[in-house]
Amino acid sequence: MAAHASPERLDKLYPIPTHAPSPQAPRRLPGVTPQSTTALQKTLRDNHIKWHIFFNEKHFHNHASHHLLALYHLGANGSNIEEAYETHASYQRRAYESPGSINDDNFHEHLGDEDYYNAYLKFFTDKILDKGAETIIEEYIFSPKVNIEPPKPGKPPLQMTNRFLAGLLHPLIHTGYGCEFGLPGQLAEGLAETAVHSPLAPALTPPTLMQYVGAAATDAANATVSRVTSFIPSLVLDQVRRVIRPAETTRAPKNVHALSLVARLLHHDRYSYKTVALPPPVNSEEDTSLERVLHLRGAELAEVVNKWTVDGTNFVEVEAKIEELFWTNAVIFGVGGWGGREKSGTGKFNGDFFFLHLVTSVLFLPSIVAYLSPTSTSILLRTYLLNTLALYVARGRPALPVVDFFDKVTSAPAPPSDSLPPTKPADGTLTADNRTPSPWLAILQSTLEHPDDHLCKLQRSLAHFDSLYGSTPAGHLKKLGVELDGAERIDGSLFVRIAGLALDRVGWMREGQEKDEWDFGGFFHE
């Protein structure tokens, strides 16, 4: 057992989860019980004590807590949570003591070194319990000190925001769970995970997007009172205060929509996989397609993102910008996957594993932003969008056939017909010929019992987007100025259509289908 994980300390790190700190973040589904809460706390604490953040030497991430918290949110019972944890515990790597401790003086010396995960975990745990999560996130992820200023003369900047977005966004996701559920232990793990990641290419966090960081120490004081009370909560603040929405007295200024930026990349030959030479040639200096895109097109993509500004002091604008990212990432994964279906494992839907992380990570932006100053909010959202655009190019920049998607993908997905109860409904049953009048109930019930830990995270995101925007009529995004071909057809049924495709791809296992896998081949084809 790690020396810093006493029972008393674990009680502070993993209390009963709170509700999300933002009205734009997910609301918990019915099903939470004392039993499921106990199972969640027990498994999260065990995971915290026993396992390293990487389960192998390739730096594959420990997803256990993500799976457990997603199931808990969706209403899983205690047995479901415990059994899910066992599927992870069987292959995790034991945690181990670091060669030395981490303090403020040597914080910069061991960044990117997985052997110091345990030391960074203790460092961030102590800091969070002493000063509160919002202070520590600001200081160690977004401040000038850890991004653009050298830690010592002659030493390079630490690039902590860059590291936060590295590893296919896993540090952000892990920290996001801590912010959403009010778990200091999860937050400390996420920040320690950030510290032991190497940064991606500097182009991911260019000076043009980080130039505001110098104001981070003072801009919170200049924000409006409503902005401060809405977006800078503490883990110990009363929960009612944390979800109060400020009066919407101003409207977000007209600006280019994030999905329009994706459309512009789609029609510009500079970003085709052939022009960029993707996947990377053998013996190239880049390890991944994303790194190659950032090296070769990072400066250009930063210029694209410069057209998408965020006023972090304006709550209405911040919420609108996050909504844009919700729609954008769902379209990339869902419509892009539909357009590339012929190259998938089934020929029905290219459920790209990398694009999937765009949908599961964007869900946490409201909860993370709730802990940030206005400057850091702007930095996070704009660098996040840059990462999204770079990943879109890196995976092959798939076509987005919106009209074909809405013509052919059902808005009422259902389990295999032979899995439905054979008993005839009683006389007088409403819509007796439709055994799944709510597609989401069938989708989520099947998702709870599926062993793939990414499925529940994906469906949780899509279900939340549907709850917020399911009533959106066709034409709404077009009125917002979205330039994507077919944008006039996009409506709130987007999310349930994608959820159905996702289950079709990996299998309705509860209903008898065999387990299948996500796609990894990308979209490097015509």
Side-chain angles (χ1 to χ4, degrees):
M1 179 181 290
H4 56 282
S6 68
E8 295 77 17
R9 193 174 178 89
L10 287 172
D11 287 342
K12 296 177 181 178
L13 297 179
Y14 293 97
I16 293 175
T18 62
H19 290 286
S22 165
Q24 204 176 13
R27 315 317 299 170
R28 205 161 296 153
L29 272 62
V32 171
T33 65
Q35 180 212 27
S36 66
T37 303
T38 298
L40 177 71
Q41 290 177 296
K42 175 184 175 182
T43 51
L44 288 178
R45 294 176 184 192
D46 191 74
N47 179 67
H48 182 80
I49 294 168
K50 286 184 178 179
W51 313 125
H52 196 278
I53 201 65
F54 299 132
F55 67 77
N56 62 21
E57 287 71 21
K58 295 181 180 180
H59 288 184
F60 287 10
H61 302 89
N62 178 347
H63 292 100
S65 62
H66 307 183
H67 195 178
L68 304 176
L69 286 163
L71 290 176
Y72 180 76
H73 168 93
L74 294 174
N77 62 35
S79 298
N80 195 175
I81 291 171
E82 290 172 346
E83 191 166 331
Y85 179 57
E86 289 306 313
T87 67
H88 295 270
S90 63
Y91 62 84
Q92 295 302 321
R93 185 165 54 138
R94 281 278 180 180
Y96 52 90
E97 292 296 336
S98 300
S101 62
I102 293 295
N103 53 50
D104 282 314
D105 289 334
N106 71 353
F107 180 85
H108 65 285
E109 294 179 2
H110 302 289
L111 294 173
D113 186 345
E114 65 172 285
D115 287 341
Y116 279 83
Y117 170 70
N118 194 58
Y120 279 111
L121 179 58
K122 183 179 187 306
F123 174 83
F124 281 117
T125 300
D126 291 342
K127 291 286 186 180
I128 289 172
L129 293 180
D130 180 39
K131 294 184 177 181
E134 68 281 359
T135 299
I136 301 309
I137 294 172
E138 285 283 346
E139 182 176 354
Y140 290 95
I141 300 297
F142 293 101
S143 73
K145 179 182 71 173
V146 298
N147 283 290
I148 62 176
E149 298 174 2
K152 301 284 185 182
K155 297 291 184 180
L158 306 186
Q159 301 185 74
M160 289 300 289
T161 300
N162 188 306
R163 297 173 195 271
F164 192 61
L165 299 168
L168 199 54
L169 297 160
H170 279 91
L172 180 151
I173 292 170
H174 205 101
T175 305
Y177 274 109
C179 292
E180 180 184 334
F181 289 87
L183 299 172
Q186 184 78 13
L187 277 159
E189 289 178 4
L191 299 183
E193 181 177 10
T194 304
V196 297
H197 266 86
S198 298
L200 289 169
L204 181 60
T205 48
T208 52
L209 299 186
M210 300 297 292
Q211 61 185 336
Y212 309 105
V213 79
T218 59
D219 67 353
N222 296 327
T224 62
V225 172
S226 62
R227 171 75 174 122
V228 172
T229 56
S230 296
F231 275 0
I232 309 181
S234 167
L235 286 174
V236 299
L237 284 182
D238 180 85
Q239 288 302 304
V240 175
R241 288 182 58 207
R242 293 176 62 177
V243 298
I244 292 176
R245 297 172 64 110
E248 296 190 7
T249 56
T250 60
R251 295 185 62 83
K254 185 174 178 60
N255 205 319
V256 63
H257 196 285
L259 195 50
S260 292
L261 299 182
V262 174
R264 294 176 189 180
L265 300 186
L266 180 59
H267 296 296
H268 199 310
D269 189 59
R270 285 282 292 169
Y271 301 103
S272 74
Y273 74 90
K274 292 181 179 179
T275 304
V276 184
L278 296 172
V282 176
N283 298 324
S284 71
E285 65 179 21
E286 297 89 10
D287 292 330
T288 68
S289 294
L290 179 59
E291 288 177 319
R292 183 169 180 82
V293 169
L294 289 170
H295 284 144
L296 298 181
R297 299 289 186 271
E300 297 171 38
L301 289 172
E303 285 301 312
V304 172
V305 175
N306 275 339
K307 299 177 176 64
W308 195 77
T309 59
V310 180
D311 177 1
T313 67
N314 185 330
F315 176 81
V316 179
E317 179 171 339
V318 169
E319 186 178 72
K321 295 294 185 177
I322 292 175
E323 181 182 343
E324 288 183 27
L325 295 172
F326 285 168
W327 286 97
T328 296
N329 289 8
V331 167
I332 290 173
F333 173 72
V335 181
W338 170 254
R341 61 193 179 279
E342 292 182 0
K343 297 296 182 179
S344 75
T346 61
K348 298 179 180 179
F349 177 65
N350 192 331
D352 187 73
F353 182 76
F354 296 85
F355 284 166
L356 179 153
H357 285 81
L358 293 180
V359 183
T360 60
S361 63
V362 75
L363 179 70
F364 296 105
L365 293 181
S367 295
I368 296 173
V369 160
Y371 288 74
L372 301 183
S373 68
T375 287
S376 299
T377 294
S378 177
I379 291 170
L380 173 62
L381 298 187
R382 299 181 79 215
T383 53
Y384 181 90
L385 175 58
L386 177 55
N387 183 87
T388 293
L389 298 181
L391 190 61
Y392 174 62
V393 174
R395 297 301 293 161
R397 197 190 61 166
L400 301 173
V402 173
V403 173
D404 189 60
F405 176 89
F406 278 90
D407 280 347
K408 297 178 181 177
V409 178
T410 181
S411 61
S417 58
D418 59 3
S419 71
L420 297 174
T423 304
K424 181 181 178 181
D427 290 342
T429 300
L430 300 179
T431 59
D433 58 336
N434 182 0
R435 306 304 297 275
T436 53
S438 170
W440 277 114
L441 293 180
I443 287 170
L444 295 180
Q445 192 81 317
S446 189
T447 295
L448 284 172
E449 296 189 51
H450 201 291
D452 187 288
D453 60 303
H454 287 89
L455 179 65
C456 62
K457 293 178 283 188
L458 173 69
Q459 305 293 43
R460 186 172 92 98
S461 295
L462 293 169
H464 176 59
F465 303 155
D466 189 283
S467 72
L468 291 178
Y469 313 119
S471 62
T472 302
H476 174 71
L477 267 66
K478 191 69 174 180
K479 290 179 182 178
L480 293 179
V482 172
E483 301 167 12
L484 181 66
D485 292 343
E488 69 280 356
R489 292 290 304 277
I490 299 174
D491 64 24
S493 69
L494 171 72
F495 310 111
V496 72
R497 294 173 194 258
I498 299 171
L501 289 173
L503 257 176
D504 288 344
R505 180 66 190 87
V506 297
W508 294 75
M509 290 183 65
R510 179 177 180 270
E511 292 73 24
Q513 290 187 347
E514 293 296 317
K515 182 179 183 291
D516 213 328
E517 305 294 337
W518 302 108
D519 293 285
F520 289 83
F523 302 85
F524 309 113
H525 49 77
E526 297 299 339

PDB file of all heavy atoms in Angstrom, residues 9-31:
ATOM      1  N   ARG A   9      -7.200   9.261   4.972  1.00  0.00           N
ATOM      2  CA  ARG A   9      -6.903  10.024   3.757  1.00  0.00           C
ATOM      3  C   ARG A   9      -7.815   9.590   2.608  1.00  0.00           C
ATOM      4  O   ARG A   9      -8.306  10.428   1.835  1.00  0.00           O
ATOM      5  CB  ARG A   9      -5.436   9.828   3.390  1.00  0.00           C
ATOM      6  CG  ARG A   9      -4.889  10.788   2.337  1.00  0.00           C
ATOM      7  CD  ARG A   9      -3.395  10.530   2.213  1.00  0.00           C
ATOM      8  NE  ARG A   9      -2.743  11.348   1.218  1.00  0.00           N
ATOM      9  CZ  ARG A   9      -2.219  12.557   1.454  1.00  0.00           C
ATOM     10  NH1 ARG A   9      -2.316  13.095   2.667  1.00  0.00           N
ATOM     11  NH2 ARG A   9      -1.596  13.228   0.497  1.00  0.00           N
ATOM     12  N   LEU A  10      -8.066   8.296   2.489  1.00  0.00           N
ATOM     13  CA  LEU A  10      -8.946   7.810   1.439  1.00  0.00           C
ATOM     14  C   LEU A  10     -10.363   8.346   1.606  1.00  0.00           C
ATOM     15  O   LEU A  10     -11.069   8.587   0.616  1.00  0.00           O
ATOM     16  CB  LEU A  10      -8.945   6.286   1.420  1.00  0.00           C
ATOM     17  CG  LEU A  10      -7.680   5.630   0.858  1.00  0.00           C
ATOM     18  CD1 LEU A  10      -7.727   4.120   1.070  1.00  0.00           C
ATOM     19  CD2 LEU A  10      -7.522   5.949  -0.631  1.00  0.00           C
ATOM     20  N   ASP A  11     -10.810   8.512   2.845  1.00  0.00           N
ATOM     21  CA  ASP A  11     -12.130   9.097   3.079  1.00  0.00           C
ATOM     22  C   ASP A  11     -12.224  10.503   2.495  1.00  0.00           C
ATOM     23  O   ASP A  11     -13.273  10.910   1.979  1.00  0.00           O
ATOM     24  CB  ASP A  11     -12.437   9.152   4.575  1.00  0.00           C
ATOM     25  CG  ASP A  11     -12.751   7.789   5.161  1.00  0.00           C
ATOM     26  OD1 ASP A  11     -13.072   6.860   4.388  1.00  0.00           O
ATOM     27  OD2 ASP A  11     -12.679   7.637   6.401  1.00  0.00           O
ATOM     28  N   LYS A  12     -11.137  11.239   2.575  1.00  0.00           N
ATOM     29  CA  LYS A  12     -11.121  12.597   2.022  1.00  0.00           C
ATOM     30  C   LYS A  12     -11.004  12.589   0.500  1.00  0.00           C
ATOM     31  O   LYS A  12     -11.558  13.449  -0.180  1.00  0.00           O
ATOM     32  CB  LYS A  12      -9.955  13.390   2.612  1.00  0.00           C
ATOM     33  CG  LYS A  12     -10.045  13.624   4.112  1.00  0.00           C
ATOM     34  CD  LYS A  12      -8.807  14.361   4.616  1.00  0.00           C
ATOM     35  CE  LYS A  12      -8.878  14.585   6.114  1.00  0.00           C
ATOM     36  NZ  LYS A  12      -7.648  15.272   6.631  1.00  0.00           N
ATOM     37  N   LEU A  13     -10.289  11.601  -0.014  1.00  0.00           N
ATOM     38  CA  LEU A  13     -10.052  11.558  -1.451  1.00  0.00           C
ATOM     39  C   LEU A  13     -11.234  11.004  -2.234  1.00  0.00           C
ATOM     40  O   LEU A  13     -11.463  11.395  -3.381  1.00  0.00           O
ATOM     41  CB  LEU A  13      -8.812  10.713  -1.745  1.00  0.00           C
ATOM     42  CG  LEU A  13      -7.489  11.227  -1.172  1.00  0.00           C
ATOM     43  CD1 LEU A  13      -6.355  10.280  -1.535  1.00  0.00           C
ATOM     44  CD2 LEU A  13      -7.203  12.632  -1.679  1.00  0.00           C
ATOM     45  N   TYR A  14     -11.981  10.089  -1.614  1.00  0.00           N
ATOM     46  CA  TYR A  14     -13.106   9.455  -2.303  1.00  0.00           C
ATOM     47  C   TYR A  14     -14.368   9.498  -1.449  1.00  0.00           C
ATOM     48  O   TYR A  14     -14.857   8.480  -0.988  1.00  0.00           O
ATOM     49  CB  TYR A  14     -12.745   8.019  -2.698  1.00  0.00           C
ATOM     50  CG  TYR A  14     -11.660   7.976  -3.738  1.00  0.00           C
ATOM     51  CD1 TYR A  14     -10.331   7.773  -3.381  1.00  0.00           C
ATOM     52  CD2 TYR A  14     -11.951   8.188  -5.082  1.00  0.00           C
ATOM     53  CE1 TYR A  14      -9.328   7.771  -4.336  1.00  0.00           C
ATOM     54  CE2 TYR A  14     -10.953   8.191  -6.036  1.00  0.00           C
ATOM     55  CZ  TYR A  14      -9.651   7.990  -5.665  1.00  0.00           C
ATOM     56  OH  TYR A  14      -8.661   8.003  -6.612  1.00  0.00           O
ATOM     57  N   PRO A  15     -14.919  10.688  -1.264  1.00  0.00           N
ATOM     58  CA  PRO A  15     -16.197  10.808  -0.551  1.00  0.00           C
ATOM     59  C   PRO A  15     -17.343  10.364  -1.456  1.00  0.00           C
ATOM     60  O   PRO A  15     -17.121   9.948  -2.608  1.00  0.00           O
ATOM     61  CB  PRO A  15     -16.279  12.306  -0.270  1.00  0.00           C
ATOM     62  CG  PRO A  15     -15.560  12.932  -1.443  1.00  0.00           C
ATOM     63  CD  PRO A  15     -14.423  11.985  -1.756  1.00  0.00           C
ATOM     64  N   ILE A  16     -18.550  10.436  -0.963  1.00  0.00           N
ATOM     65  CA  ILE A  16     -19.710  10.174  -1.820  1.00  0.00           C
ATOM     66  C   ILE A  16     -19.694  11.193  -2.961  1.00  0.00           C
ATOM     67  O   ILE A  16     -19.546  12.395  -2.718  1.00  0.00           O
ATOM     68  CB  ILE A  16     -21.020  10.283  -1.020  1.00  0.00           C
ATOM     69  CG1 ILE A  16     -21.086   9.139   0.007  1.00  0.00           C
ATOM     70  CG2 ILE A  16     -22.234  10.238  -1.948  1.00  0.00           C
ATOM     71  CD1 ILE A  16     -22.275   9.223   0.936  1.00  0.00           C
ATOM     72  N   PRO A  17     -19.810  10.764  -4.203  1.00  0.00           N
ATOM     73  CA  PRO A  17     -19.733  11.709  -5.327  1.00  0.00           C
ATOM     74  C   PRO A  17     -20.783  12.809  -5.240  1.00  0.00           C
ATOM     75  O   PRO A  17     -21.923  12.578  -4.826  1.00  0.00           O
ATOM     76  CB  PRO A  17     -19.976  10.824  -6.551  1.00  0.00           C
ATOM     77  CG  PRO A  17     -19.518   9.475  -6.134  1.00  0.00           C
ATOM     78  CD  PRO A  17     -19.904   9.370  -4.678  1.00  0.00           C
ATOM     79  N   THR A  18     -20.364  14.004  -5.631  1.00  0.00           N
ATOM     80  CA  THR A  18     -21.281  15.136  -5.685  1.00  0.00           C
ATOM     81  C   THR A  18     -21.910  15.207  -7.070  1.00  0.00           C
ATOM     82  O   THR A  18     -21.540  14.473  -7.978  1.00  0.00           O
ATOM     83  CB  THR A  18     -20.526  16.448  -5.417  1.00  0.00           C
ATOM     84  OG1 THR A  18     -19.536  16.630  -6.450  1.00  0.00           O
ATOM     85  CG2 THR A  18     -19.838  16.427  -4.070  1.00  0.00           C
ATOM     86  N   HIS A  19     -22.861  16.103  -7.217  1.00  0.00           N
ATOM     87  CA  HIS A  19     -23.417  16.361  -8.539  1.00  0.00           C
ATOM     88  C   HIS A  19     -22.485  17.287  -9.301  1.00  0.00           C
ATOM     89  O   HIS A  19     -21.655  17.996  -8.717  1.00  0.00           O
ATOM     90  CB  HIS A  19     -24.816  16.956  -8.421  1.00  0.00           C
ATOM     91  CG  HIS A  19     -25.835  15.980  -7.919  1.00  0.00           C
ATOM     92  ND1 HIS A  19     -26.324  14.956  -8.705  1.00  0.00           N
ATOM     93  CD2 HIS A  19     -26.437  15.853  -6.715  1.00  0.00           C
ATOM     94  CE1 HIS A  19     -27.194  14.247  -7.999  1.00  0.00           C
ATOM     95  NE2 HIS A  19     -27.275  14.758  -6.789  1.00  0.00           N
ATOM     96  N   ALA A  20     -22.614  17.274 -10.609  1.00  0.00           N
ATOM     97  CA  ALA A  20     -21.714  18.032 -11.475  1.00  0.00           C
ATOM     98  C   ALA A  20     -21.805  19.523 -11.180  1.00  0.00           C
ATOM     99  O   ALA A  20     -22.872  20.026 -10.811  1.00  0.00           O
ATOM    100  CB  ALA A  20     -22.036  17.756 -12.938  1.00  0.00           C
ATOM    101  N   PRO A  21     -20.707  20.255 -11.359  1.00  0.00           N
ATOM    102  CA  PRO A  21     -20.653  21.667 -10.995  1.00  0.00           C
ATOM    103  C   PRO A  21     -21.164  22.627 -12.057  1.00  0.00           C
ATOM    104  O   PRO A  21     -21.022  23.832 -11.915  1.00  0.00           O
ATOM    105  CB  PRO A  21     -19.154  21.889 -10.756  1.00  0.00           C
ATOM    106  CG  PRO A  21     -18.503  20.976 -11.726  1.00  0.00           C
ATOM    107  CD  PRO A  21     -19.376  19.749 -11.749  1.00  0.00           C
ATOM    108  N   SER A  22     -21.737  22.116 -13.140  1.00  0.00           N
ATOM    109  CA  SER A  22     -22.207  22.977 -14.224  1.00  0.00           C
ATOM    110  C   SER A  22     -23.548  22.481 -14.734  1.00  0.00           C
ATOM    111  O   SER A  22     -23.769  21.269 -14.844  1.00  0.00           O
ATOM    112  CB  SER A  22     -21.189  22.973 -15.378  1.00  0.00           C
ATOM    113  OG  SER A  22     -21.756  23.495 -16.566  1.00  0.00           O
ATOM    114  N   PRO A  23     -24.471  23.381 -15.082  1.00  0.00           N
ATOM    115  CA  PRO A  23     -25.752  22.945 -15.647  1.00  0.00           C
ATOM    116  C   PRO A  23     -25.607  22.328 -17.024  1.00  0.00           C
ATOM    117  O   PRO A  23     -26.529  21.677 -17.513  1.00  0.00           O
ATOM    118  CB  PRO A  23     -26.569  24.248 -15.713  1.00  0.00           C
ATOM    119  CG  PRO A  23     -25.555  25.336 -15.755  1.00  0.00           C
ATOM    120  CD  PRO A  23     -24.402  24.845 -14.929  1.00  0.00           C
ATOM    121  N   GLN A  24     -24.451  22.504 -17.670  1.00  0.00           N
ATOM    122  CA  GLN A  24     -24.209  21.926 -18.988  1.00  0.00           C
ATOM    123  C   GLN A  24     -23.546  20.549 -18.881  1.00  0.00           C
ATOM    124  O   GLN A  24     -23.354  19.876 -19.890  1.00  0.00           O
ATOM    125  CB  GLN A  24     -23.325  22.872 -19.805  1.00  0.00           C
ATOM    126  CG  GLN A  24     -23.449  22.716 -21.309  1.00  0.00           C
ATOM    127  CD  GLN A  24     -22.620  23.737 -22.061  1.00  0.00           C
ATOM    128  OE1 GLN A  24     -21.766  24.409 -21.493  1.00  0.00           O
ATOM    129  NE2 GLN A  24     -22.856  23.867 -23.353  1.00  0.00           N
ATOM    130  N   ALA A  25     -23.200  20.137 -17.666  1.00  0.00           N
ATOM    131  CA  ALA A  25     -22.600  18.827 -17.425  1.00  0.00           C
ATOM    132  C   ALA A  25     -23.696  17.795 -17.185  1.00  0.00           C
ATOM    133  O   ALA A  25     -24.845  18.146 -16.912  1.00  0.00           O
ATOM    134  CB  ALA A  25     -21.655  18.906 -16.230  1.00  0.00           C
ATOM    135  N   PRO A  26     -23.371  16.508 -17.259  1.00  0.00           N
ATOM    136  CA  PRO A  26     -24.402  15.469 -17.147  1.00  0.00           C
ATOM    137  C   PRO A  26     -25.092  15.442 -15.788  1.00  0.00           C
ATOM    138  O   PRO A  26     -24.468  15.649 -14.752  1.00  0.00           O
ATOM    139  CB  PRO A  26     -23.611  14.168 -17.374  1.00  0.00           C
ATOM    140  CG  PRO A  26     -22.391  14.583 -18.110  1.00  0.00           C
ATOM    141  CD  PRO A  26     -22.056  15.942 -17.595  1.00  0.00           C
ATOM    142  N   ARG A  27     -26.386  15.171 -15.811  1.00  0.00           N
ATOM    143  CA  ARG A  27     -27.163  14.932 -14.600  1.00  0.00           C
ATOM    144  C   ARG A  27     -27.281  13.423 -14.422  1.00  0.00           C
ATOM    145  O   ARG A  27     -27.527  12.683 -15.371  1.00  0.00           O
ATOM    146  CB  ARG A  27     -28.576  15.543 -14.669  1.00  0.00           C
ATOM    147  CG  ARG A  27     -28.668  16.953 -15.217  1.00  0.00           C
ATOM    148  CD  ARG A  27     -27.610  17.904 -14.724  1.00  0.00           C
ATOM    149  NE  ARG A  27     -27.624  18.120 -13.290  1.00  0.00           N
ATOM    150  CZ  ARG A  27     -26.666  18.763 -12.640  1.00  0.00           C
ATOM    151  NH1 ARG A  27     -25.607  19.193 -13.296  1.00  0.00           N
ATOM    152  NH2 ARG A  27     -26.734  18.945 -11.339  1.00  0.00           N
ATOM    153  N   ARG A  28     -27.112  12.968 -13.223  1.00  0.00           N
ATOM    154  CA  ARG A  28     -27.070  11.528 -12.955  1.00  0.00           C
ATOM    155  C   ARG A  28     -28.408  10.859 -13.243  1.00  0.00           C
ATOM    156  O   ARG A  28     -29.477  11.398 -12.927  1.00  0.00           O
ATOM    157  CB  ARG A  28     -26.682  11.314 -11.493  1.00  0.00           C
ATOM    158  CG  ARG A  28     -26.031   9.998 -11.206  1.00  0.00           C
ATOM    159  CD  ARG A  28     -25.291  10.064  -9.882  1.00  0.00           C
ATOM    160  NE  ARG A  28     -24.201  11.035  -9.944  1.00  0.00           N
ATOM    161  CZ  ARG A  28     -23.720  11.692  -8.889  1.00  0.00           C
ATOM    162  NH1 ARG A  28     -24.232  11.478  -7.697  1.00  0.00           N
ATOM    163  NH2 ARG A  28     -22.736  12.548  -9.034  1.00  0.00           N
ATOM    164  N   LEU A  29     -28.354   9.677 -13.824  1.00  0.00           N
ATOM    165  CA  LEU A  29     -29.574   8.924 -14.106  1.00  0.00           C
ATOM    166  C   LEU A  29     -30.068   8.220 -12.848  1.00  0.00           C
ATOM    167  O   LEU A  29     -29.287   7.963 -11.932  1.00  0.00           O
ATOM    168  CB  LEU A  29     -29.319   7.894 -15.206  1.00  0.00           C
ATOM    169  CG  LEU A  29     -29.506   8.373 -16.655  1.00  0.00           C
ATOM    170  CD1 LEU A  29     -28.539   9.482 -16.990  1.00  0.00           C
ATOM    171  CD2 LEU A  29     -29.362   7.201 -17.633  1.00  0.00           C
ATOM    172  N   PRO A  30     -31.368   7.885 -12.783  1.00  0.00           N
ATOM    173  CA  PRO A  30     -31.874   7.136 -11.625  1.00  0.00           C
ATOM    174  C   PRO A  30     -31.170   5.796 -11.499  1.00  0.00           C
ATOM    175  O   PRO A  30     -30.752   5.204 -12.497  1.00  0.00           O
ATOM    176  CB  PRO A  30     -33.359   6.951 -11.948  1.00  0.00           C
ATOM    177  CG  PRO A  30     -33.678   8.006 -12.948  1.00  0.00           C
ATOM    178  CD  PRO A  30     -32.431   8.217 -13.742  1.00  0.00           C
ATOM    179  N   GLY A  31     -31.035   5.315 -10.278  1.00  0.00           N
ATOM    180  CA  GLY A  31     -30.418   4.014 -10.042  1.00  0.00           C
ATOM    181  C   GLY A  31     -29.346   4.029  -8.980  1.00  0.00           C
ATOM    182  O   GLY A  31     -28.946   2.969  -8.490  1.00  0.00           O
TER     183      GLY A  31
END
